[in-house]
Amino acid sequence: MTRVGLVFGSRSVEHEISVTTASKLFEVLKQLGGEIETVPLYVSRAGAWLGGPAVVRLLEVEAEGRTATEAAARQRLQQEYKGQLSRLETGAGQAGAESLFVAPDPTVRRLVGDPALASWFTKRLRPALDVALPAVHGTHGEDGTLQGLFELADLPYVGPGLAASAVGMDKILSKQLFRGAGLPVVPAAWFSRRRFLEDESAVLAEVESRLPYPVVVKPAVAGSSVGIGRAVDRGSLARAAGAALKFSTRVIVEQSVEERLEIQCAVLGNHALRASVCEELTSAAGIVSFEDKYLKRPDAAADLAPSIIPADIPPALAERVRTLAMESFRALDARGTARVDFLVARPALDVYVNEVNTLPGSFCLRLWEASGLSPAELLRELLALAREAHAEKRATRFESPEGKGLVDRKHLMSPGK
């Protein structure tokens, strides 16, 4: 049986969204009960790693509240969910919660608890994980930090690797990568918080010299449309930049595609890739906001933003999007799965790569199901892809004859050298 560590939460503005994703994945993993043992690991906003029955209950009550149909039941479950989340935020010591984390030392080969709270014998019995399934969105999870921990621990993990995750999370770096790969992107400018605070007028003037209004202002490292604003003049640009800089040390400003479609497509694989059907986002406002994505869902089963699956677009456009999605995935050197977001300008239907989400909300369960892949089949394949990627990395050498030769010659060196 494969022991899977389902990691979620963390220090991110998308913390609660991560809980929802983890809850959905936990429900799917239960369907693989004969193959999978799931170990939920909650990372608090303070960064504490917790496991135990209280963490399992958090996921269960989230699922129950999300699918409840009666108003009274939904309200009761919502209160239980809030209370459970609040108690876990206080850390270990709460009933049913214990410190439990992945050690960066690959020789440990098991989950580690708090030495002050567990006996030596108990610590010895803590079993190892076979695969990590990160369900963290945004900072301290989707940005390469969590992937770096798994790399140090020599632990297979689902999703893109450290470099792909870090670049995919950074809208400035990914924009440069896609442009260098010959992929279509909208014109953009960027600046740092330090530059903006030192000389706001000069920064705004530089943006205006490169881009016509209206523009879209985004934190360089953030997700779920947090901190995004639209600017039509210098005043609104300054306000939008100030808001975005609350969530990131750098800001990207993009030329606005006013008449557009917003299309998403998921990609699956390590080497032989396949793309899902396309999804078209719908919103009442000019920008698909955090509210559109998470607070206006048409029903409890909806997967994030209100949308049309498959997208109501011409077949040729859908094929163009699917092809660009796989090219973007390869350019990023991603693996496992990711979702690629596009802007399609009307009426010419020019397609622009917007961004790649390396750990997309709910892992695009609905998109893949509409593409003929059930949630259970998707997770089974993702776990297999994680092990494949790990095996490929272990075939890589991390020592050289030259290095060994240097060690052999050290005894010949004088103390002063």
Side-chain angles (χ1 to χ4, degrees):
M1 183 174 290
T2 301
R3 200 160 191 263
V4 176
L6 177 59
V7 184
F8 66 101
S10 198
R11 292 179 289 156
S12 169
V13 295
E14 301 175 80
H15 185 95
E16 287 79 5
I17 303 160
S18 170
V19 178
T20 298
T21 291
S23 174
K24 292 180 179 181
L25 298 182
F26 188 51
E27 293 299 304
V28 176
L29 289 168
K30 286 180 180 178
Q31 300 173 25
L32 304 175
E35 311 167 37
I36 302 294
E37 178 191 354
T38 307
V39 182
L41 297 169
Y42 172 71
V43 185
S44 74
R45 289 187 179 279
W49 287 56
L50 300 170
V55 175
V56 172
R57 182 53 190 160
L58 175 68
L59 298 180
E60 291 175 340
V61 75
E62 197 284 336
E64 292 168 12
R66 184 165 25 87
T67 56
T69 56
E70 296 181 1
R74 287 179 66 90
Q75 186 174 11
R76 174 181 58 79
L77 289 165
Q78 184 182 34
Q79 292 303 313
E80 182 181 351
Y81 171 78
K82 288 181 178 179
Q84 194 76 4
L85 194 61
S86 177
R87 285 188 292 273
L88 286 174
E89 282 301 311
T90 63
Q94 296 296 314
E98 62 173 335
S99 177
L100 203 60
F101 58 93
V102 174
D105 184 344
T107 65
V108 172
R109 309 302 302 172
R110 62 181 182 272
L111 288 171
V112 179
D114 187 341
L117 300 177
S119 69
W120 178 88
F121 181 71
T122 303
K123 287 185 289 179
R124 286 285 296 175
L125 291 180
R126 293 182 187 278
L129 298 178
D130 297 307
V131 184
L133 176 55
V136 177
H137 304 309
T139 53
H140 302 105
E142 192 176 359
D143 56 359
T145 51
L146 198 54
Q147 292 73 17
L149 172 62
F150 298 146
E151 293 282 357
L152 289 173
D154 196 25
L155 177 65
Y157 58 95
V158 170
L162 189 158
S165 298
V167 174
M169 185 71 193
D170 192 308
K171 294 178 176 62
I172 296 173
L173 295 181
S174 58
K175 179 87 66 179
Q176 293 173 315
L177 175 73
F178 296 144
R179 182 178 293 149
L183 297 168
V185 295
V186 297
W190 46 83
F191 53 87
S192 67
R193 181 190 293 160
R194 178 178 290 274
R195 281 192 60 212
F196 185 76
L197 293 176
E198 288 176 348
D199 197 339
E200 178 181 321
S201 296
V203 168
L204 298 179
E206 181 181 337
V207 172
E208 290 174 327
S209 71
R210 298 178 61 180
L211 302 172
Y213 289 109
V215 294
V216 178
V217 184
K218 306 176 182 178
V221 180
S224 296
S225 299
V226 171
I228 292 182
R230 181 174 178 272
V232 296
D233 53 31
R234 180 171 286 204
S236 57
L237 175 59
R239 289 190 294 273
L245 285 169
K246 293 178 181 178
F247 300 99
S248 179
T249 59
R250 294 175 300 146
V251 157
I252 185 169
V253 183
E254 298 175 338
Q255 184 175 319
S256 178
V257 181
E258 290 293 279
E259 294 295 325
R260 69 183 183 275
L261 301 171
E262 297 198 25
I263 306 295
Q264 299 179 338
C265 180
V267 180
L268 180 67
N270 288 348
H271 305 292
L273 305 181
R274 53 181 150 160
S276 71
V277 298
C278 296
E279 176 179 15
E280 179 183 348
L281 299 187
T282 60
S283 80
I287 295 175
V288 179
S289 65
F290 182 94
E291 183 181 28
D292 291 320
K293 288 185 176 181
Y294 303 108
L295 304 180
K296 294 182 179 178
R297 294 183 292 183
D299 56 71
D303 190 3
L304 308 183
S307 63
I308 301 170
I309 301 176
D312 186 17
I313 56 178
L317 176 58
E319 189 57 33
R320 168 75 169 153
V321 167
R322 284 160 51 88
T323 298
L324 285 174
M326 289 187 285
E327 291 179 0
S328 303
F329 192 91
R330 285 195 183 96
L332 196 61
D333 193 28
R335 68 182 191 223
T337 190
R339 191 193 71 227
V340 187
D341 299 347
F342 296 89
L343 303 175
V344 180
R346 287 172 162 168
L349 299 184
D350 294 325
V351 182
Y352 300 99
V353 179
N354 191 27
E355 63 182 28
V356 175
N357 290 270
T358 54
L359 290 177
S362 300
F363 276 51
C364 298
L365 294 176
R366 289 176 66 221
L367 260 180
W368 285 116
E369 196 161 21
S371 304
L373 194 64
S374 73
E377 290 171 331
L378 173 63
L379 287 192
R380 187 183 286 118
E381 185 161 348
L382 286 173
L383 294 172
L385 289 169
R387 286 180 148 173
E388 176 187 88
H390 183 256
E392 289 180 355
K393 182 178 179 182
R394 298 201 79 176
T396 304
R397 294 180 60 176
F398 296 101
E399 59 183 29
S400 68
E402 293 81 5
K404 285 187 174 181
L406 179 61
V407 172
D408 292 340
R409 291 196 304 272
K410 274 189 176 292
H411 72 282
L412 299 176
M413 297 179 182
S414 64
K417 300 295 178 74

